[in-house]
Amino acid sequence: MEHPLFSLSVKKDMAAFEYEQGNVKVKITPAAEEGRANVFDRDILIYVLSQLMAAKNEGQEIGRRVRISAHDLLKATNRHTTGQAYATLRRALTRLQFTQIETNIHDHGVGEWRSISFITDAKIVKEDSTGRLLSVELEMGDWLVKAIENKNVLTLHKAYFQLRKPLERRLYELARKHCGKQDVWRIGLDKLQHKTGSTSTSKEFKRLVKAICKADADQSHMPDYSFKLLHDVLEVSPKPEFLDVYGDSPALASDITVRLSSAAYEQARDAAPTWDVYFLEQEWRMWMSEPPRHPDGAFVGFCRKWYERKGKAP
């Protein structure tokens, strides 16, 4: 979240990108055919990392290779599950695999140069007779798996996947990273533009930020945080519902004190067919006021009542 590794462009971005912050230097070279990985491609990594984190919290061994349900991935990241899903997903995986990141690393006085990528292998399995996507298998970069091992990750609100403007997503990421639960975080527009990786002119960048702040003031569409532009300074504050849900808890939606087993997810799918179980998990965690004695049963019961009230997923 600290550095702008993903393009903000919704079009094919073939331009090399260089970024420097303090001692950190980053150069990003786009994939030859599909261009640079963008903020929407990042959704795939977020979802896969959340699955690895859940497995680790269950005490399971995790590794670089991960196999996940294609349908669950598409639903959780607010993607279409129609016929075009295969081509769209394939292009995203290509960008994630072949976008190359060169960076320097300093550790205890020793400098190191590395060339890395987000994923090193990808496979999509589909049913030949119907073309329906069945599963996605990825081999993650070892640096991402180490972040999970060290619990060096932050959870994101489910509404993050509904933000359609790339800059909105980047502003939210920076808010989660730098504001957290403190009362307010302020940053000048020049420094903010550098952290977002935006290639717009200063005037255009200010106009874009101002429009996002106005939309949030009118509709409160940004999750977790309020954004206000005061002259050339962006002011970010947690929204009341964010503090109501998470309060002083050190962990967020993936609270490690409440763990679910793999069987619980399967039972939840049976209890609430057509609903994405990870969406329901987020709703459940935000709803409960204290850790239940039997998390699996409580979660499955929540899903069953949810389905009784709401029926099939829209």
Side-chain angles (χ1 to χ4, degrees):
M1 292 185 182
E2 176 67 21
H3 308 304
L5 302 182
F6 296 88
S7 173
L8 295 180
S9 176
V10 294
K11 299 179 181 179
K12 184 184 293 187
D13 188 349
M14 299 301 297
F17 178 80
E18 295 190 21
Y19 169 84
E20 186 171 345
Q21 180 68 39
N23 292 328
V24 177
K25 295 181 180 179
V26 177
K27 179 180 178 180
I28 303 176
T29 304
E33 294 183 4
E34 296 295 343
R36 183 178 162 203
N38 61 52
V39 292
F40 296 105
D41 300 334
R42 185 177 184 268
D43 292 356
I44 298 171
L45 294 182
I46 293 171
Y47 179 81
V48 174
L49 290 172
S50 72
Q51 302 309 295
L52 287 174
M53 194 62 169
K56 181 173 176 59
N57 288 339
E58 291 177 20
Q60 300 177 22
E61 291 290 329
I62 63 172
R64 293 176 58 188
R65 197 151 198 94
V66 185
R67 185 169 185 152
I68 54 177
S69 161
H71 182 268
D72 287 351
L73 167 65
L74 295 170
K75 291 290 287 186
T77 56
N78 201 36
R79 280 169 160 75
H80 293 295
T81 57
T82 57
Q84 66 180 13
Y86 174 79
T88 302
L89 185 57
R90 183 190 61 78
R91 287 193 295 269
L93 293 174
T94 298
R95 287 189 291 267
L96 288 172
Q97 182 173 355
F98 294 105
T99 293
Q100 204 66 24
I101 305 166
E102 298 177 55
T103 185
N104 65 321
I105 300 171
H106 293 272
D107 187 17
H108 301 293
V110 177
E112 178 181 308
W113 172 88
R114 291 189 68 184
S115 179
I116 56 181
S117 56
F118 298 107
I119 60 177
T120 56
D121 189 27
K123 180 170 67 175
I124 305 174
V125 179
K126 64 177 182 176
E127 195 170 53
D128 290 336
S129 59
T130 65
R132 182 170 62 96
L133 302 188
L134 299 178
S135 66
V136 177
E137 190 171 323
L138 306 176
E139 186 174 84
M140 309 291 289
D142 63 343
W143 59 290
L144 289 172
V145 177
K146 287 178 181 177
I148 293 292
E149 293 284 6
N150 298 327
K151 295 187 177 180
N152 193 20
V153 294
L154 287 172
T155 56
L156 304 180
H157 194 286
K158 63 181 183 296
Y160 169 87
F161 296 113
Q162 298 169 8
L163 297 175
R164 301 318 303 166
K165 295 181 179 179
L167 186 56
E168 289 178 334
R169 292 183 168 216
R170 187 65 185 134
L171 292 183
Y172 173 78
E173 293 167 13
L174 291 171
R176 284 291 294 112
K177 172 68 177 178
H178 293 285
C179 184
K181 290 176 286 185
Q182 62 182 319
D183 292 339
V184 66
W185 174 63
R186 298 182 180 91
I187 184 172
L189 282 184
D190 288 345
K191 188 174 182 180
L192 178 66
Q193 182 168 3
H194 182 62
K195 279 185 170 293
T196 63
S198 172
T199 56
S200 300
T201 64
S202 298
K203 182 177 181 180
E204 175 64 7
F205 181 75
K206 182 175 182 177
R207 185 191 70 79
L208 293 171
V209 173
K210 185 176 181 179
I212 292 172
C213 292
K214 184 179 186 306
D216 186 50
D218 294 342
Q219 306 166 17
S220 192
H221 74 299
M222 294 291 285
D224 293 339
Y225 299 95
S226 295
F227 295 81
K228 297 179 182 178
L229 185 61
L230 307 174
H231 301 293
D232 289 331
V233 175
L234 180 68
E235 182 177 282
V236 182
S237 302
K239 290 182 175 179
E241 57 267 27
F242 175 78
L243 296 176
D244 288 344
V245 172
Y246 302 121
D248 296 326
S249 171
L252 295 177
S254 61
D255 190 346
I256 60 175
T257 63
V258 179
R259 302 186 180 115
L260 296 173
S261 68
S262 300
Y265 291 105
E266 294 303 319
Q267 293 171 24
R269 288 187 177 94
D270 293 337
T274 73
W275 285 91
D276 173 38
V277 293
Y278 303 107
F279 165 78
L280 295 179
E281 180 186 3
Q282 290 278 5
E283 293 291 327
W284 173 64
R285 290 183 182 276
M286 294 177 68
W287 167 80
M288 64 182 176
S289 58
E290 60 183 23
R293 292 184 61 185
H294 304 289
D296 284 5
F299 174 54
V300 173
F302 174 88
C303 293
R304 186 174 292 109
K305 290 181 180 179
W306 179 283
Y307 187 75
E308 290 173 354
R309 293 197 308 270
K310 297 181 179 292
K312 293 183 177 180

